[in-house]
Amino acid sequence: MTSILLVDDEVALLRTLSMNLRARGYEVLTAESGEDALARVRRDSPDVVILDLGLPDISGVEVLRQLRGWSTVPVIVLSARHGSDDKVEALDVGADDYVTKPFGIDELLARLRAAVRRSGSVDAATVESGDLRIDLAGRRIWRDSEEVRLTPTEWGLLAALVTRPGRLVGQRQLLQEVWGPAYERETNYLRVYMANLRRKLESDPSRPRHLITEPGMGYRFLT
Amino acid sequence: MTSILLVDDEVALLRTLSMNLRARGYEVLTAESGEDALARVRRDSPDVVILDLGLPDISGVEVLRQLRGWSTVPVIVLSARHGSDDKVEALDVGADDYVTKPFGIDELLARLRAAVRRSGSVDAATVESGDLRIDLAGRRIWRDSEEVRLTPTEWGLLAALVTRPGRLVGQRQLLQEVWGPAYERETNYLRVYMANLRRKLESDPSRPRHLITEPGMGYRFLT
DNA sequence: GAAGGGCGTCAAGGCTCCGTTAAGAACCGT
DNA sequence: ACGGTTCTTAACGGAGCCTTGACGCCCTTC
């Protein structure tokens, strides 16, 4: 089944669109803020994202920019602004389509079908980084063109870092995302699994170039 | 260099667009009728087609329909008609985008860039892989040039994997797609049917080269 | 210089998950 | 109705993953 992530802060629009999409056999996920949207793409990897530009926290364009750092999921942008500049910016940042409000539901659905149809033939979103190549959607990873296999927990931890390239991710947040809220204090896990990842991914695990420790705070992934 | 086929019968528009595109480094081909357009795609295989719907001989939608019989080139449709039905029809016949006249040249260029960016690969109806040949449309499969028969469930499972070559497909997703949403938890089925498939398709079922297990996550098909 | 916190490393045990098999149930065409 | 095929279900053994605790090192702090 095709899954759609619907990102909008207008609850009314969210509900009517959800109903329409579900009635047509799509699985619908929703988010009402930018951070929320990024987290859901990270966790649920939907097939298409419909993204309203007017969000309460981060701007929609910023969401798109961050997303494009590690994902090629098709994004259809919704906006109340008709200006040419807004369209150009969104499309150039990586939107696949741009629909201005108010829009006909039929048109949106047709553009959605077009996006889904195309998405089958697009190749994987890979994060390239010198000796590392990471295919997040396909869950594959190569080091020096040799494939490396990771366990589920190792993947969870790596993905939490790679989807925020270069940024510091706190220990508490990592533990929450990978092991669950009840494990906030188990920093042991982080040490063990960071060691596992480094042994598999770094050419010199004692001197990591990608998986960096920030003492007392957390870790970050450098490309 | 990226080549664009511009299809329009208004010579004025053709000229201004051509100039704009050439100034931005595109190679521009032109056609002023539907037959002409089809011929040029056949001969020159452009990277993107910009297609006006109002053509003198064949309707633009008909051009698109014929094109989609043998080509997956991205097509951006231009039209003076704002009606929702027209957009829906064009998009469903296979257009990648739909722009209504009058349009800002900047917007068209941005949509063009988006189309070029997306255009990556093609999807094949048959998958070849050393000792395996799979005809997805015809539901037939050969191993070492000998045809193998699969049961309906075996086909469903194999197809769910083969249509995403190399990518990990989660257990939950496989169960949903093949058996239905109510069977999300029945991982037994996966084990039994993966064993069946391996016995039929792998030369050494105990050491699979195509149907790979990712413990705790799911399975993937390697070509 | 000593103490302590934070981090990396390692190894062992428990336990989940996977592959395999087989037998009965359901389904199909004849 | 019958024979054959396909699907469901359950049980078992083994491989590999997660958890856990102990230990040593480095850096900071007192």
Side-chain angles (χ1 to χ4, degrees):
Chain A
M1 180 165 23
T2 308
S3 64
I4 315 284
L5 174 60
L6 212 51
V7 187
D8 203 319
D9 61 329
E10 289 177 53
V11 183
L13 185 59
L14 217 51
R15 281 185 49 190
T16 51
L17 267 183
S18 291
M19 275 182 44
N20 262 294
L21 290 171
R22 289 214 177 87
R24 277 161 183 84
Y26 296 104
E27 182 184 351
V28 180
L29 316 170
T30 59
E32 297 182 24
S33 74
E35 285 295 354
D36 200 11
L38 289 169
R40 300 225 58 164
V41 176
R42 227 175 255 126
R43 207 181 54 228
D44 302 325
S45 58
D47 297 310
V48 181
V49 176
I50 298 180
L51 174 68
D52 189 343
L53 285 193
L55 295 177
D57 51 346
I58 337 173
S59 89
V61 171
E62 183 53 31
V63 171
L64 197 49
R65 201 190 310 275
Q66 288 196 27
L67 203 58
R68 282 294 176 250
W70 47 270
S71 171
T72 58
V73 59
V75 174
I76 300 177
V77 161
L78 301 184
S79 168
R81 313 186 58 173
H82 288 66
S84 178
D85 292 349
D86 296 303
K87 295 186 189 177
V88 172
E89 183 185 13
L91 290 165
D92 279 344
V93 168
D96 291 74
D97 205 338
Y98 189 106
V99 181
T100 50
K101 301 184 191 178
F103 51 82
I105 184 72
D106 290 337
E107 178 184 348
L108 180 64
L109 287 167
R111 289 189 184 270
L112 182 63
R113 285 192 292 274
V116 172
R117 186 199 324 131
R118 279 191 305 254
S119 69
S121 62
V122 173
D123 37 17
T126 63
V127 177
E128 306 250 0
S129 157
D131 55 339
L132 283 188
R133 187 162 98 252
I134 305 175
D135 172 3
L136 279 166
R139 289 218 170 187
R140 303 179 77 181
I141 181 166
W142 295 263
R143 175 183 133 213
D144 296 330
S145 40
E146 205 147 318
E147 184 158 10
V148 179
R149 300 194 48 187
L150 299 184
T151 71
T153 311
E154 286 164 4
W155 255 112
L157 183 55
L158 182 70
L161 291 166
V162 170
T163 54
R164 302 172 175 93
R167 299 199 357 211
L168 172 76
V169 189
Q171 321 195 40
R172 196 159 306 170
Q173 189 170 0
L174 288 171
L175 288 163
Q176 267 195 30
E177 271 192 41
V178 181
W179 280 272
Y183 295 75
E184 263 189 2
R185 301 279 158 82
E186 303 288 340
T187 57
N188 263 334
Y189 292 6
L190 288 180
R191 292 204 285 280
V192 171
Y193 275 87
M194 287 302 299
N196 289 346
L197 283 176
R198 284 174 176 146
R199 198 176 321 118
K200 291 185 176 181
L201 301 182
E202 299 277 4
S203 48
D204 180 1
S206 64
R207 247 175 250 162
R209 287 169 47 215
H210 301 291
L211 298 164
I212 308 299
T213 304
E214 298 290 353
M217 303 193 283
Y219 297 84
R220 77 173 79 233
F221 177 85
L222 296 184
T223 56
Chain B
M1 180 159 34
T2 309
S3 63
I4 316 285
L5 174 60
L6 211 52
V7 187
D8 203 322
D9 61 330
E10 290 178 51
V11 184
L13 184 61
L14 216 51
R15 281 184 52 189
T16 51
L17 266 183
S18 290
M19 276 181 44
N20 262 294
L21 290 172
R22 288 212 177 87
R24 277 161 182 85
Y26 295 104
E27 181 184 350
V28 180
L29 317 168
T30 59
E32 296 181 25
S33 73
E35 286 296 356
D36 199 9
L38 289 169
R40 300 224 58 165
V41 174
R42 243 178 239 116
R43 204 179 63 225
D44 301 324
S45 58
D47 297 308
V48 181
V49 176
I50 298 179
L51 174 68
D52 189 343
L53 284 192
L55 295 175
D57 52 346
I58 337 172
S59 90
V61 171
E62 185 53 31
V63 172
L64 196 48
R65 203 189 311 273
Q66 289 195 30
L67 202 57
R68 283 290 176 253
W70 46 272
S71 171
T72 58
V73 60
V75 174
I76 299 177
V77 161
L78 301 183
S79 168
R81 313 185 59 173
H82 288 66
S84 179
D85 291 349
D86 297 301
K87 297 185 189 178
V88 171
E89 183 184 13
L91 289 166
D92 279 344
V93 169
D96 290 73
D97 205 340
Y98 188 105
V99 181
T100 50
K101 299 184 192 176
F103 51 82
I105 183 73
D106 290 337
E107 178 184 346
L108 180 64
L109 287 168
R111 289 188 183 273
L112 182 61
R113 286 192 292 274
V116 172
R117 186 197 324 133
R118 279 192 303 255
S119 72
S121 55
V122 277
D123 38 350
T126 76
V127 178
E128 305 249 1
S129 156
D131 55 339
L132 283 187
R133 187 163 96 252
I134 304 174
D135 176 3
L136 279 168
R139 289 218 159 191
R140 305 179 72 184
I141 181 166
W142 295 262
R143 175 182 136 214
D144 296 330
S145 40
E146 204 148 319
E147 184 157 9
V148 179
R149 287 182 23 119
L150 297 185
T151 72
T153 311
E154 286 164 3
W155 254 114
L157 182 56
L158 183 69
L161 291 167
V162 170
T163 52
R164 304 169 175 94
R167 288 185 48 176
L168 174 88
V169 189
Q171 327 193 52
R172 196 159 306 169
Q173 188 172 357
L174 288 171
L175 288 164
Q176 268 195 27
E177 275 191 37
V178 181
W179 281 271
Y183 295 75
E184 262 190 3
R185 301 278 159 83
E186 303 289 340
T187 56
N188 263 335
Y189 293 8
L190 288 180
R191 293 205 285 279
V192 171
Y193 275 87
M194 286 302 299
N196 291 344
L197 282 175
R198 283 176 178 146
R199 200 175 316 120
K200 292 186 176 181
L201 301 181
E202 298 276 4
S203 48
D204 180 1
S206 65
R207 248 178 246 161
R209 287 170 47 216
H210 301 291
L211 298 164
I212 308 298
T213 304
E214 297 290 353
M217 303 190 283
Y219 296 85
R220 74 173 84 237
F221 177 84
L222 295 184
T223 55

